[in-house]
Amino acid sequence: SLRSALWCLYGRHEISSLYAQLLLQLKKTWAFGDIGNSESVSKVLASLSLWLNVQGEHQMSAVVQSHARSRFPRHPNAKNWMISEYHIVIQQCIYRCRWQEALKACSQLYLLDKNAGNLQRASVYIAKGYFNTARRIICKLQHSANLDVLTQVRVLVLQAYATIGEDTVSSETAEFLIRASVLATSAYMEYEQAVIDMVLAQVLLKMKMPQKAFQAAKNCMEKVYENGGIYDRAKMDFIFVCCMVAASESDARKKVNLQKGISILERAVVCFKKLEAHAKVLDIFVYLAKTYHELNELDERNKYACKFKHYYTEYPIAREYLGMAF
């Protein structure tokens, strides 16, 4: 259980998941309830449920949650699966733009873990575009006592996101990312470092520095693919293609690179659809239509504009939630 938690802390989520499954197998949890109802089992069930959810395996995640709920109905062990459940609800609601449900789950999480509740509430407001409210929560969080290193890194990343506008980047953005990078590196948190590089690629792209953005995207791809959930992997795919096309030296090269990136973007669309992150699917269609328009490829532009229209008709998303960096 401790090994699983340790690997999770350092961002090696795949190995953490394997240790969790190994513990369940060794304890023969499902066969012998008398030796299975321990704190370690409670923790790994919660961790495994969360891992399955970020991989888009919602039904399997729900089954594990159900087992945890039935095995540990009372505190203190019930706290583990309850925290996991609220994290799952919040993430799903962010993907689906269900803000009230997300904020309700944040309030429930706050009762169990104040820092985690505030961190998730800030994430919800950033995803919603309420940056001033998010900054107030982040400021409050920074003054919390005994803030662990992982939370400090994530707070700085959220601060960076809160300064990224639709077409602009604040001068503070790089400062927050650098501080987060130094902190993550000092604590050997490789996955958090990869997430920071992914945000940095977005920032550099907005700053009209495509070559450096492309390099930053390449630097973090492997870590994100190895240990990230399907949302992070799909987001990485989208950012990588945007950087690759923007870094092209000519329109002819842009056409070639964009054609190479189509299969990558299609993979991202599949992942976003699996999570019901409809705003991100629409973002990809908008990007393709605009890019083909700039390259004067009218047939391809019309193709993706039509896809956008059909998908938007089926899953209407408010305009302010499209094109968000988060």
Side-chain angles (χ1 to χ4, degrees), residues 115-128:
N115 290 340
N118 280 331
L119 192 69
Q120 290 298 320
R121 184 178 283 110
S123 298
V124 172
Y125 280 118
I126 288 173
K128 194 178 180 182

Side-chain angles (χ1 to χ4, degrees), residues 97 126-129 131 161 164-168 202 206 231 235 238-239 242 277-287 290 308 312 317-326:
C97 300
I126 288 173
K128 194 178 180 182
F131 298 126
Y161 271 120
I164 302 174
E166 186 174 355
D167 299 310
T168 59
Q202 292 178 277
K206 287 180 177 288
Y231 183 85
K235 187 176 176 181
F238 189 19
I239 293 170
C242 291
H278 304 306
K280 294 300 178 185
V281 177
L282 293 171
D283 284 344
I284 291 177
F285 291 154
V286 168
Y287 167 75
K290 284 185 174 181
F308 173 87
Y312 182 79
I317 300 293
R319 170 65 184 85
E320 59 266 29
Y321 305 139
L322 300 179
M324 298 292 289
F326 190 68

Side-chain angles (χ1 to χ4, degrees), residues 282 307-319 322:
L282 293 171
K307 282 190 175 186
F308 173 87
K309 182 178 180 181
H310 288 162
Y311 199 85
Y312 182 79
T313 301
E314 189 173 359
Y315 302 104
I317 300 293
R319 170 65 184 85
L322 300 179

Side-chain angles (χ1 to χ4, degrees), residues 88-217:
I88 289 170
V89 170
I90 292 164
Q91 288 305 311
Q92 289 180 346
C93 288
I94 288 176
Y95 298 152
R96 299 165 188 175
C97 300
R98 297 177 181 172
W99 312 120
Q100 292 304 317
E101 292 177 42
L103 291 172
K104 180 180 177 181
C106 288
S107 298
Q108 293 168 322
L109 178 60
Y110 180 85
L111 298 175
L112 300 171
D113 187 330
K114 291 185 177 181
N115 290 340
N118 280 331
L119 192 69
Q120 290 298 320
R121 184 178 283 110
S123 298
V124 172
Y125 280 118
I126 288 173
K128 194 178 180 182
Y130 285 27
F131 298 126
N132 289 334
T133 305
R135 290 188 193 103
R136 287 197 294 271
I137 295 170
I138 290 170
C139 183
K140 180 181 178 182
L141 190 56
Q142 285 179 313
H143 290 90
S144 300
N146 302 321
L147 205 62
D148 60 86
V149 176
L150 181 59
T151 304
Q152 290 178 46
V153 172
R154 290 178 174 173
V155 164
L156 288 167
V157 172
L158 288 181
Q159 281 186 296
Y161 271 120
T163 61
I164 302 174
E166 186 174 355
D167 299 310
T168 59
V169 176
S170 170
S171 59
E172 296 177 306
T173 308
E175 179 189 345
F176 291 136
L177 292 176
I178 291 170
R179 286 169 55 193
S181 180
V182 170
L183 198 56
T185 302
S186 66
Y188 305 101
M189 295 180 175
E190 294 183 356
Y191 186 71
E192 297 304 317
Q193 180 63 60
V195 171
I196 293 165
D197 285 340
M198 185 166 64
V199 181
L200 181 62
Q202 292 178 277
V203 171
L204 291 171
L205 200 58
K206 287 180 177 288
M207 293 174 67
K208 309 299 182 184
M209 302 170 70
Q211 294 293 343
K212 290 186 177 181
F214 187 42
Q215 187 59 50

